[in-house]
Amino acid sequence: MIAFILRRIVQSVIVMLTVAIVAFALFRFVGDPVASMVGQETTLAERAEIRQALGLNDPFPVQFFNFVTRAVQGDFGVSYRLQQPVMELILSRLPATLELALVSGVLAFFFGVGFGVYTALRRGNWLSGSIMTISLIGVSLPTFLIGVLLIWVFAVELQWLPSFGRGDTVYIGDWWRTGLLTESGRASLILPAITLGLYQMTLIMRLVRAEMLEVLRTDYIKFARARGLSNRAVNFGHALKNTLVPVITITGLQMGSIIAFSIITETVFQWPGVGALFIRSVQFVDVPVMAAYLMLIALVFVVINLIVDLLYYAVDPRLRVDRSSARG
Amino acid sequence: MTAISNKPPLLSVRDLVVEFPTRRGTLRALDQVSFDIAEGEVLGMVGESGAGKSLTGAAIIGLLEPPGRIAGGEVWLRGERIDNLSVEKMRRIRGRRIGMVFQDPLTSLNPLYTVAEQLIETIRTHIDVSEKEARKRAIALLDRVGIPAAARRIDDYPHHFSGGMRQRVVIALALSAEPELVIADEPTTALDVSGQAQIIDVLKDICAERGASVMLITHDMGVIAETADRVAVLYAGRMAEIGPVRDVVQAAEHPYTAGLMGAIPTLTQTADRLTQIPGSMPRLNAIPQGCAFNPRCPRVFDRCRAERPELIARASGRHVACWLYETETENV
Amino acid sequence: MSDALLSVSGLTRRFDVSKPLLNRVIEREDRQFLTAAADVAFEIRRGETFALVGESGSGKSTIAKMIVGLLEPSEGEIRFDGKGMDFASGSAMRALRRRFQMIFQDPFASLNPRWRVGDIIAEPIRTFGLLRGAAIGAEVGRLLDLVGLSASDAEKFPHEFSGGQRQRIAIARALSSKPEFIVCDEPTSALDVSVQAQILNLMRDLQDEFGLTYLLISHDLSVVRHMSNRIGVLYLGRLVEVAEAKRLFTEPQHPYTQMLLAAVPDLALSGRRRTPVTGEIPNPINPPPGCAFHPRCPHVMDHCRTDAPASHPTASGEAACHLLAPSRAAAQTAQD
Amino acid sequence: HAETIRWARVGDALTLDPHSQNEGPTHTLNHHIYETLVGRDDDGELTPRLATEWGISEDDENVWVFTIREGVMFHDGSEMTVDDVVFSINRARTTPSGMAALHAAVEEVTAVDDTTVHVRMSGPAPLYVQNLTNTFIMSQAWAEENGVEVAPDFAAGEEAHSVRNTNGTGPYRLVERDPEVRTVLQVFEDHWDDAPEVTEIIYTPISEAATRVAALLSGEGDIVQDVPVQDIARLEQTEGISVVRGPENRNIFFSYDMTSESLASSDAEGNPFASPEVREAMSLAVDRNAIRQVVMRGESQPSAAPLPPFVNGWTEEMHAFDDPDLERARELMAEAGYGDGFTVQLDCPNDRSLNDESICQSLVGMMAQIGINVDLNAQTRSLHFPLIENWETDFYLLGWGVPTFDSQYVFDFLVHTREGSYGSFNGSRYSNPELDAKIEALATMTDLEERDALIAEIWDEVMEERIFLNIHNQVLAYAMRDGINLDVHPENQPHMATVTFD
Amino acid sequence: MTDFTPENRPSIFFRAWDSDVAYSFRRSPLAITAALVSLVIILAAIFAPWLAPHDPFNPASLNLMDGFTPPMEPNAFTGNVYWLGTDNQGRDVFSTILYGARISLFVGFMAVLFAMVLGITLGLIAGYRGGWLDSLLMRVADVQLTFPSILLALLIFGVARGFIPPAYREAMAIWVLIVAIGLSDWVQYARVVRGATMVEKNKEYVQAARVIGAHPTKILVRHILPNVMGPVLVIATIGLALAIIAEATLSFLGVGVPATQPSLGTLIRIGQGFLFSGEWWILLFPAVTLLALALSVNLLGDWLRDALNPRLR
Ligand SMILES: Nc1ncnc2c1ncn2[C@@H]1O[C@H](COP(=O)(O)OP(=O)(O)OP(=O)(O)O)[C@@H](O)[C@H]1O
Ligand SMILES: Nc1ncnc2c1ncn2[C@@H]1O[C@H](COP(=O)(O)OP(=O)(O)OP(=O)(O)O)[C@@H](O)[C@H]1O
Ligand SMILES: [Mg+2]
Ligand SMILES: [Mg+2]
């Protein structure tokens, strides 16, 4: 167990470093930050000066070393664009993204598992066929279009739900700003959460269905039926639980991509999260923010992976003895 | 067909037909299979792979996998017809009155639950006892099937057990609600030579102890010979021969059974060549007219190719489906 | 003895089953090895059938794989027709390779489902460059005929055949390079008895016709009894007894052999009361010290628990048991 | 009574520091919190604000004299003094202030008495006051207290207090600031001027055009700036919504490398853009009216003049353009030796000015008519502008605003040979020493008539050379709920204090 | 390969028609519809230059004044009538959809092909060789999985732009896109192939080939590869739909094919801007096309997955 966590941590550090290197190397190509930092009156000489002051002219290893040494202390510098400490900026935006990701993740998980189980158990009936087909729309249209269409229908035409933003927010503790506790906050969450969750829901649903169909054919399910267990016990106690083992992994990985995909949803709904921050930062070549965001994403993944592994560990007793063959 | 004793049989299967509708027509996997199992009796069921042994078991316990379905015939359990019961009623029979043991102990147990959980769940599904009581019963049962330190090991997960031990657990599970009939579908095939005998012994002893009847499905004639009271031989979904084990093993009447017995190498005799039945069992979509065995039969004659033989009662409760014996029947 | 086609000596194979380094460091464990075959030595004479029996996990397949080069021995030597086999060296091996072949257990897995039967059978011919062009087709037809199928079956795919027919195809493939020696790893254990009889008969016929030498692996003693001239009994990777087939069954020397024989169901209904088999095979990673069989042995003696028995000659071969040590042997016979 | 305005536009102010960034949206928001000495009204005229009067000193033509308004309070309750004005101008003209370039000619700022500030220039600077419309006055005491005596530095590595905190004299004070999310301003009771009708402003940037429009349509916004041109007509027709529009001080033009030997992105022999015939042909091939009609949905002012109409030096004559004449254009191409056309890459921003990418795209079609095969490279501004800055583009689109409302600004940046502070956006590599001399002279000319004449002279030359292929001046549109009155500001700096309600 | 002379061998066509997969196909109206729809779109895309009434990729043929013509109505200035109307550049929407689908499908197919070739090769090698090479590849895959594909594609696109000289960016954009989408997608192929290879390599038919000394490359390519293609095909089908959508998403984020040669995704991004202004046709038709394409390809993938799963038959 300790060994396993240790190994995970070592792997995580390597992952983080790799992401840092890759991300950092990439920034050299996304554009010139100075051009978007200064007004048009700034002379070329002044621009060069700023570049020098920002350390953009240092050799790559120097820049990287500086970045990493500061990053491990939690210091990602100051945003070129907003002149605010990046860490603070990201932390202030993170709750919005996490709430959105969590809610859509939970929605996706529950609907995904529910529909997946239903369509697996009722294979061939028209309702499960329809669910299967309709759910595909979630992966057959680009997210941004789904978002825009939802706004059009529910905000503009029907005026049921807000079209943008997070509504009213209140603070929990010092910095966690939540929209979940206010009515407008919850209303604002609905459309973005659907937009973001639809894709994941489809994936989870399909996965659950496929896994469930596999599991339903296993001997132990047959044996469970032969023992006269009720359908409920067999389908949910035995089949679903076994289905969830792989589903947890994928859902865990999806959680990360939910956060990444929130870039689009946040942009469409002007959701004040880190994704929108990132995409604006790309436009403005706000390197410190971009770097911090990528590190954050990597961190989130690493943490989620760890949680998933621990969950795995909790769910599947086989792994408690021998981990070496667990991950494929 | 008459039962071997005066008491009504525990299980009576009458003209059971199981079909699989497929794109190329309906396959008849079991064709008018009839047999009885008496109380306390061990009935062996042998036949080549695909003969329909497992299907018979699955059909009795109502677990045919779709699209397979019972297309005809009846199954009676202690005078009660069970092949047409509602799903819920049938569920209550499974485990409680008919237990089942599958071939592969490695995959029969849900890896995510402890043995205790699975046992207690089963017991409490059928018998109204407290959790504690169920656990006590479970431990006793494990102890009975020969799991050392049962009280401690009951909380282990299946993967903590070796293959032989797991099969014991499976047997314990099948017997946990004290069924009257146990259907064991090749319970030892996945085990080692040395383990096989142990498992068969456990199964047989416990069932005898509790007065449960056993339907032992296997393709190992040796196991049957040692364990069963009577043996039924299936061929291509049809009953070829059924009778007391000694009769069938030592003096098979159906040419197929005879061939089968000759094909088994033994430790004692040293023939240079084994008797061999030419060809192989027909596929379900190509079962020949008349007797299903006729193309391979060394004693085939015209009638065999045209008419399907019924089970014919022979001396000492033996039945054979072969035209060779028709005339003799009349004498009986 | 000089007639040995294949001889192995000191053949040992260890599998590294250690946990990952980090786990070992933290849990303070050493590297762990599973010895699947330990110091195995036997000879197979030209034209005979030598059988290896043993329970699952006793190392039968491991030995077979080492002999045909699918696994590298950790130690020991394999000599084929007097020449040491070294699978690393290309050209010398190429010539040797076509002289031995293998038949596998699972007739469903041993044929590539995407290949036509003709191509499957022709693969060794093509690989060894034995024939070209239309001659290949003719040869394939002949081989199919030989194993009791028809030449037109070459066009079909494996899934169109039954298990027994597939095993025939596998045999045809094994014969296609005209080998002298065939390793058969449980060739019939997946088949029904009636089909098994066909295959065993076929194997016999082919042996008679081509003078083949077989290494037959099985856990079915009756099959072994029926097919082989000499038998080696394996327990936990160790060869505990080697004997002439007939002798082995009438006078088993090693207690393990005796136990195995006792476990065979009695078809003859002789009413013989079987000695119940006790215990299970121990974990091969930590085999018991001394004689690996001692925890299950009815005749266990103190020094069985500490000293590994050496091989002692028996009437028709040898056996590794302290009971057979010359000093003990007498006492033992007296006891029986 | 309280009137709240929910105001949305595409981007947020980058900072609330009054001098850090010389950038439109930043100034727009800051104008509500801070005030400048002089303001600019909707006609582009200067208006008094914190300065009640201004002019060049009668004694010294190098000195500007400002009379400072009395009784002005900062939001923290302190009174504004001339020292604050001196401090603010000094802060604004010291790097790293983003405003420094506008005050480059300032030599010294002094408070002469309680109401008078003198700004000494290094030479005559007749237009200096035009540079002051975005230079805000802040409290010296507050700045010192919070350690923001100088404008925040990019490389500082930490956040300056003034980035998210303010203490101005403006009609609104800052209540809540969440950059790029929400900024809330409330009316400042002690403001010197008449109380505005709008008492609270909730300012939300919405970057997606569709979402922005949706916000207005769904009733979640009151005033929306940066309305996509295609939605203007629809919004106008929507009940309860009205749209105001007006010209912006910004023109959109193409320019090209006219001086290099050959073009990196072109297969042509030599440099086709060096040929006056080619440049003329291109001009003749452009259908400005079509661009206005289709791409801009009528929301632009087609013009040949490479400067917005507000700007000193603009003439009706320059503005006029001919209808496209493809016939003649093809002839010219042939004359220039490019009868078979050539290939060239066009670099274009896709997120800077209204429909920039679409304009470029239509130009591709128009150029194709005369055999110029244009590859369009549209990308984000941070990738686009460095191309111009580094002379890595052969052909590009640029939008240019003239905050000083004087042609000199255009010449300095776009026409003068690139050297020192001159020509940083001169992507055409145009270099004419004679013209350079004239441009430099403009800076210190005090005789405005003479200066205007020189400007016209320079423009003649520039137009003659066709350094720019101007397309149009941008037209601004603000959409709002009915009952709100707000005029379009030429620098796109609407002020909520000017809003009235029906 | 086969040199047996066929006598009564049924034609390839018949055998394909008669196969289980084909049977399950014929039995599924959904699969047939999906196949028809995809086929129509794919064919229309392939033959776009012959089918389309206009060539929207030829800027010289465009008349800006045709812009925003509603479907089936004459343009107010030019009087031209277009089936599905025109977009903001005066391009015929119908033709642009055909050409756009061509680009989308090209990007999709090539990206899938790229990911497939890369993933299969690495998966085969990792699965067959095992050991450190396998560990290394799988760790790389882990890291890659750690990175959301959209982000990765975005970054790859960014880097490529940096590397490629400005003069070639235009021409290379589509290839960069393909590589970006493909690179962010190879992992799942590699994982599936690796898993299947590890299963297959222990199957006895592979051992039989090894016993006769067949070369590892031959074993991998001739023996194992055909047997691991089933799941790969399923992933590839669904991957095609995903790649097409990914391309659209990237175009929304501002990276993608040039606007002068729009893909379906770019068309949708453009059309999305006209949702409120009344020019619904600029968005609707491309969106419906994309939906139809992606949906039908996904449905086919779904069906294929079930059809190839022997356990579900
Ligand atoms: N789902 C199905 N569809 C079509 N045929 C089936 C199906 N399931 C079983 N069968 C057929 O039914 C016949 C009987 O199968 P069954 O499993 O009872 O054989 P068995 O005697 O138990 O064989 P084994 O010894 O291999 O277990 C076989 O021929 C088999 O092919
Ligand atoms: N690649 C491997 N890695 C680790 N252990 C192995 C490996 N291959 C075989 N073993 C172990 O070696 C021992 C001998 O295996 P082997 O396959 O030779 O047994 P066998 O006698 O053929 O058994 P069976 O009758 O089940 O085929 C077993 O304990 C097995 O688990
Ligand atoms: Mg069976
Ligand atoms: Mg083996």
Side-chain angles (χ1 to χ4, degrees), chain D residues 52 55 199 330 462:
Chain D
T52 47
T199 52
R330 290 192 191 107
V462 170

Side-chain angles (χ1 to χ4, degrees), chain B residues 162 194 226 272-273 277, chain C residues 55 198 201 204-205 274 280:
Chain B
S162 72
S194 61
E226 280 199 359
D272 210 29
R273 285 176 65 87
I277 314 173
Chain C
E55 290 174 82
Q198 296 171 0
N201 286 342
R204 274 250 166 132
D205 295 346
R274 282 193 279 108
E280 298 199 342

Side-chain angles (χ1 to χ4, degrees), chain D residues 340-361:
Chain D
D340 295 336
F342 59 91
T343 301
V344 73
Q345 175 166 311
L346 169 63
D347 294 299
C348 187
N350 59 13
D351 52 8
R352 184 65 191 92
S353 36
L354 285 176
N355 285 354
D356 37 17
E357 186 176 359
S358 291
I359 296 170
C360 291
Q361 231 178 304

Side-chain angles (χ1 to χ4, degrees), chain D residues 210 230 234 297 345 357 369 376, chain E residues 60 68 170 273 276-277 279:
Chain D
Q230 63 266 24
R234 160 85 195 274
R297 312 294 282 250
Q345 175 166 311
E357 186 176 359
Q369 307 290 343
L376 176 58
Chain E
F68 299 112
E170 180 75 358
F276 298 129
S277 62
E279 285 91 4

